């Protein structure tokens, strides 16, 4: 705890010199302990740590960053508008999971929501300007030039979802092709023969991969309408599919929100779920249990994905080679809609 002077006023915060005096070591030894240096004996390290605890010493982050060349912050960049990030439970869920995965570290999370457009260059300048120790990117659209610029820099980077074009950046993903294939095969196993899909955006790897898995399960192009992973787009796509194929009897939607929108359109058209049309979603968000009927869906392991992203970034920040990319399995969760 801080000492007091004779007038009863609190003295200045303890410094490296104060800690060194109490521990009986040099200032340089205290600095090495505080900054994670390895050239310290176990006895000296123990003495310094005891002195730090006794004095309540807290290193000045700004001064420490001058020594370590680290900021103590990592950025999570979401390539969507702010309104979309906080209204989409998938984006909000992975953001929360990443924050929880960082809770046991001394790193601060900087959340940056920047849709494609003019602000991208300012974002790039900020990230490459030494303001963060590493970057996590998610919800990328197309061949975002930001990814290429980061891949050419020494800044540690990890992506959520594979990039649209091959780049030497590790990514963490769930197996969207296998998940979509499993969802479609489940509908076929129920005896459904006219199975449509509400696919995601074609400029996102999740949209591309889930459409591919659906088509692999059908061994053909199938019946496709497109959405943007939102509930409104799922409702509109379902109405379009019913106009094109009134007798369809199964639907795989590439997100739970689009599946929830599809349920609304089916209800409006007088279709019963699952009696007339069986519906399968993707993500296994909370909304999947709240729809009527509850959604059969492909489970996305968001906490495990978040932990893998943080582990990859921490390894790179520590100076280790970039880890291999991680692709996690995603089981089907069967509920009443299919």
């Amino acid at each position: 705890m801080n000492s007091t002077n004779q007038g009863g006023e609190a003295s200045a915060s303890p410094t490296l010199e104060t800690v060194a005096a109490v521990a009986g070591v040099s200032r340089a030894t205290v600095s090495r302990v505080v900054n994670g240096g390895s050239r310290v004996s176990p006895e000296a390290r123990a003495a310094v740590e005891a002195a730090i605890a006794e004095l309540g010493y807290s290193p000045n982050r700004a001064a420490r960053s001058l020594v370590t060349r680290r900021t103590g912050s990592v950025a999570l960049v979401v390539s969507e508008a702010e309104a979309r990030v906080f209204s989409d439970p998938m984006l909000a869920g992975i953001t929360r999971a990443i924050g929880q995965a960082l809770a046991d570290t001394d790193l601060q999370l900087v959340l940056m929501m920047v849709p494609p457009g003019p602000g991208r260059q300012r974002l790039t300048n900020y990230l490459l300007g030494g303001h963060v120790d590493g970057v996590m990117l998610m919800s990328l659209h197309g061949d975002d030039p930001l990814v290429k610029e980061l891949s050419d820099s020494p800044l540690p980077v990890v992506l959520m979802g594979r990039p649209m074009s091959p780049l030497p950046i590790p990514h963490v993903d769930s197996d969207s092709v296998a998940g979509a294939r499993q969802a479609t095969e489940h509908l076929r196993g129920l005896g459904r023969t006219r199975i449509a899909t509400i696919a995601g955006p074609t400029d996102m790897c999740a949209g591309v991969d889930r459409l591919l898995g659906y088509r692999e399960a059908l061994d053909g192009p199938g019946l496709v309408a497109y959405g943007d992973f939102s509930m409104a787009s799922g409702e509109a796509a379902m109405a379009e599919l019913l106009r094109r194929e009134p007798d369809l009897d199964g639907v795989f939607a590439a997100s739970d929100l689009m599946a929830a929108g599809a349920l609304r359109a089916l209800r409006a058209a007088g279709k019963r779920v699952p009696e007339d049309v069986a519906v399968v979603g993707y993500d296994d968000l909370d909304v999947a249990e709240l729809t009527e009927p509850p959604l059969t869906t492909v489970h996305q392991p968001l906490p495990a994905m978040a932990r893998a992203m943080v582990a990859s970034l921490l390894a790179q920040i520590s100076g280790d080679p970039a880890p291999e990319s991680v692709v996690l399995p995603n089981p089907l969760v069967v509920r009443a809609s299919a």
Side-chain angles (χ1 to χ4, degrees):
M1 60 185 175
N2 292 341
S3 61
T4 56
N5 60 26
Q6 292 181 347
E9 297 176 349
S11 64
S13 298
T15 64
L16 287 178
E17 288 78 6
T18 312
V19 175
V22 172
V25 300
S26 69
R27 183 189 186 281
T29 297
V30 176
S31 179
R32 283 195 290 272
V33 172
V34 169
N35 293 307
S38 58
R39 294 183 295 109
V40 182
S41 70
E43 296 78 9
R45 186 179 298 277
V48 171
E49 290 174 346
I52 287 173
E54 176 185 343
L55 295 169
Y57 171 75
S58 179
N60 182 289
R61 182 174 291 272
R64 183 176 177 181
S65 68
L66 293 174
V67 177
T68 63
R69 297 187 179 275
R70 293 184 183 173
T71 67
S73 301
V74 294
L76 172 60
V77 177
V78 188
S79 296
E80 302 286 355
E82 182 177 327
R84 178 67 180 272
V85 174
F86 291 110
S87 64
D88 188 318
M90 170 63 188
L91 297 175
I94 191 63
T95 300
R96 182 170 59 251
I98 288 172
Q100 292 169 344
L102 281 167
D104 293 333
T105 74
D106 61 355
L107 293 171
Q108 298 295 319
L109 181 64
V110 179
L111 177 60
M112 308 183 76
M113 297 160 286
V114 186
R120 303 297 279 184
Q121 189 57 54
R122 291 195 302 272
L123 169 66
T124 302
N125 293 342
Y126 178 86
L127 296 176
L128 297 179
H131 300 286
V132 294
D133 297 328
V135 182
M136 291 171 279
L137 295 171
M138 71 178 190
S139 202
L140 293 171
H141 293 262
D143 288 320
D144 193 321
L146 172 63
V147 182
K148 179 65 167 62
E149 291 185 71
L150 291 176
S151 72
D152 292 337
S153 80
L155 188 66
V157 182
V158 62
L159 310 181
M160 179 180 172
R162 66 170 180 83
M164 294 292 286
S165 298
L167 286 170
I169 295 179
H171 66 265
V172 175
D173 204 355
S174 63
D175 194 337
S176 287
V177 176
R181 187 191 309 117
Q182 182 181 202
T184 309
E185 288 173 347
H186 176 72
L187 289 168
R188 294 190 69 178
L190 295 175
R192 309 297 165 136
T193 58
R194 294 178 298 278
I195 302 170
T197 187
I198 301 174
T202 58
D203 66 344
M204 301 183 73
C205 62
V208 171
D209 289 351
R210 292 171 198 177
L211 179 57
L212 175 60
Y214 160 80
R215 284 175 164 160
E216 285 184 355
L218 292 183
D219 196 24
L223 179 64
V224 184
Y226 293 90
D228 63 4
F229 290 138
S230 69
M231 186 179 296
S233 73
E235 186 173 6
M238 188 71 250
E240 175 191 338
L241 289 169
L242 288 172
R243 287 192 297 270
R244 290 161 55 190
E245 182 59 68
D247 294 328
L248 63 84
D249 58 4
V251 176
F252 163 57
S255 78
D256 285 345
L257 285 182
M258 292 198 300
L263 292 177
R264 293 176 60 176
L266 289 166
R267 190 177 305 114
K271 299 285 188 178
R272 300 169 300 164
V273 177
E275 292 85 355
D276 300 324
V277 182
V279 178
V280 179
Y282 201 109
D283 290 330
D284 196 24
L285 304 173
D286 290 344
V287 67
E289 296 187 85
L290 300 176
T291 57
E292 183 54 46
L295 273 174
T296 292
T297 185
V298 178
H299 176 77
Q300 282 242 70
L302 297 187
M305 295 172 73
R307 289 192 296 270
M309 290 179 69
V310 169
S312 176
L313 200 65
L314 291 178
Q316 295 177 65
I317 290 172
S318 298
D320 296 333
E324 294 292 324
S325 295
V326 176
V327 180
L328 298 171
N330 36 15
L332 187 72
V333 179
V334 178
R335 299 191 179 96
S337 70

